[in-house]
């Protein structure tokens, strides 16, 4: 069992290096043998060497406006969610709504993962812009507290980045770091 696990890991690492080398120098490095990849993928899935959140299940043509539609969908759903500090996730304000934060985040990640990474980047930009505008609009009218809608969006963004393994530096380039450090999970 341990020998098989180590062997699969070594083959996987080797194939990943070959694929990366091919994309860095496509004219001098060939793409790994086509029958080898699906066969190794089956063994890796069976052994548990997979991450369903990073797996691409389908390929399709680019959809213009997908990131905007996903952003608007998430914005609508965020109004139905609140932070539950006991279980550290977004939960439904009203149980009849039938929405839960964790599955919503994972679903959005999975859908965006099926398309070019530029859709995910644009989605994050939309969400960051929403937070920035909400906070700057609230500064003029409030006593310095972050608005509820901005906090919900920041919590969603935090979970999105955590589940999808997006580096915090990317988010810091979109949302000022002091906003991410300032809000609390209360």
């Amino acid at each position: 069992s341990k020998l098989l696990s180590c062997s699969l890991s070594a083959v996987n690492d080797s194939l990943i290096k070959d694929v990366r080398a091919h994309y860095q120098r496509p004219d001098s490095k060939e793409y790994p043998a086509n029958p080898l990849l699906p066969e190794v993928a089956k063994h890796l899935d069976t052994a548990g060497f997979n991450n369903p959140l990073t797996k691409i299940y389908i390929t399709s043509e680019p959809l213009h406006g997908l990131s905007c539609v996903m952003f608007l969908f998430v914005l609508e759903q965020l109004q139905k969610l609140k932070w539950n500090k006991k279980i550290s996730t977004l939960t439904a304000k009203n149980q009849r709504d039938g929405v839960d934060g964790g599955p919503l985040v994972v679903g959005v990640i999975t859908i965006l993962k099926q398309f070019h990474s530029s859709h995910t980047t644009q989605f994050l930009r939309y969400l960051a812009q929403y937070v920035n505008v909400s906070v700057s609009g609230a500064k003029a009218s409030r006593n310095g507290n972050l608005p509820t809608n901005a906090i919900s969006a920041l919590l969603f963004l935090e979970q999105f980045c955590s589940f999808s393994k997006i580096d915090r530096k990317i988010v810091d380039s979109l949302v000022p770091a002091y906003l991410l450090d300032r809000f609390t999970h209360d």
Side-chain angles (χ1 to χ4, degrees), residues 107-118:
V108 170
I109 291 169
T110 304
I111 290 170
L112 288 173
K113 192 68 175 173
Q114 305 313 305
F115 298 94
H116 193 270
S117 62
S118 63

Side-chain angles (χ1 to χ4, degrees), residues 54-66:
T54 60
K55 189 167 183 161
I56 297 173
Y57 295 98
I58 59 170
T59 56
S60 66
E61 296 297 318
L63 290 176
H64 299 290
L66 172 71

Side-chain angles (χ1 to χ4, degrees), residues 62-80:
L63 290 176
H64 299 290
L66 172 71
S67 51
C68 184
V69 170
M70 291 303 293
F71 165 70
L72 293 172
F73 170 74
V74 166
L75 211 56
E76 176 65 27
Q77 298 307 310
L78 283 178
Q79 295 174 9
K80 301 174 184 175

Side-chain angles (χ1 to χ4, degrees), residues 121-142:
T121 304
Q122 187 61 41
F123 172 78
L124 291 173
R125 285 186 185 137
Y126 284 138
L127 202 56
Q129 183 65 23
Y130 175 75
V131 169
N132 292 333
V133 168
S134 296
V135 169
S136 65
K139 282 182 183 176
S141 64
R142 285 205 165 168

Side-chain angles (χ1 to χ4, degrees), residues 75-82 91-94 97-99:
L75 211 56
E76 176 65 27
Q77 298 307 310
L78 283 178
Q79 295 174 9
K80 301 174 184 175
L81 297 171
K82 65 178 178 177
T91 58
K93 288 179 183 175
N94 183 354
D97 286 339
V99 66

